[in-house]
Amino acid sequence: MSAGSAERAARWYRQVGRGHLGAAGTLAEFRARMRPVLPVAVALHLAVLAVLTFAALAVLTVVAPRPGPPHGGGLLHLAAERSGALPWAAQGVLGLLLVLPALLARCGRWTAAALGALAGPAAALAVLGLGRGGPAAVLLGGGAVAAVLLGYAWAVLGRAEAHR
């Protein structure tokens, strides 16, 4: 479901870029119009990912409750209690590793998209092999790749030729 959200964000970004390309009078105006669009596309995808994760945690809380005395606070409290900040951050990195290659591919940067899609999991696995476990490996390895991809996407996707 998250891959669908990434693809939808990429399609929306490309559509907005084409609209701004036709409406902007100069390249500087086009860049100014496109500056907020990439952060919005990425944030929308990450928001959908967070909502889907929360829904899954809420279902998990109902289907497989913790043994012991019942907790107060309802589903939200239990779902938040079941996961810490590290898994949520790691999921955000994985969300970036989905949406950034989709954005790059949608705007014609196929090589960068393929390299990004392969490098993220490879870096996370490499860190995992160094002894870091689970979400920490994703944060360290995948986070480094996501940071490079985000910088590259910011530099090239704001150009007019990415939307022709």
Side-chain angles (χ1 to χ4, degrees):
M1 200 99 53
S2 180
S5 168
E7 181 58 28
R8 180 68 184 120
R11 270 189 280 149
W12 176 79
Y13 181 81
R14 176 70 183 226
Q15 181 181 5
V16 170
R18 284 187 176 169
H20 286 322
L21 191 59
T26 65
L27 287 176
E29 184 182 347
F30 173 77
R31 283 190 207 105
R33 286 174 175 240
M34 287 302 292
R35 197 170 293 125
V37 180
L38 181 62
V40 168
V42 169
L44 286 173
H45 168 68
L46 292 177
V48 167
L49 186 60
V51 167
L52 290 173
T53 300
F54 177 75
L57 285 171
V59 168
L60 177 66
T61 302
V62 170
V63 173
R66 273 193 186 166
H71 292 69
L75 269 175
L76 177 61
H77 177 72
L78 283 174
E81 188 180 287
R82 285 203 173 193
S83 71
L86 190 62
W88 281 92
Q91 183 173 352
V93 167
L94 291 174
L96 285 174
L97 291 173
L98 277 174
V99 74
L100 292 173
L103 283 164
L104 290 166
R106 185 59 74 167
C107 293
R109 305 290 182 177
W110 293 100
T111 305
L115 288 174
L118 293 174
L125 287 174
V127 173
L128 187 61
L130 295 174
R132 300 263 189 236
V138 172
L139 276 177
L140 292 175
V145 172
V148 169
L149 270 178
L150 188 58
Y152 179 75
W154 183 262
V156 299
L157 296 182
R159 298 179 188 162
E161 61 267 11
H163 302 280
R164 292 181 188 190

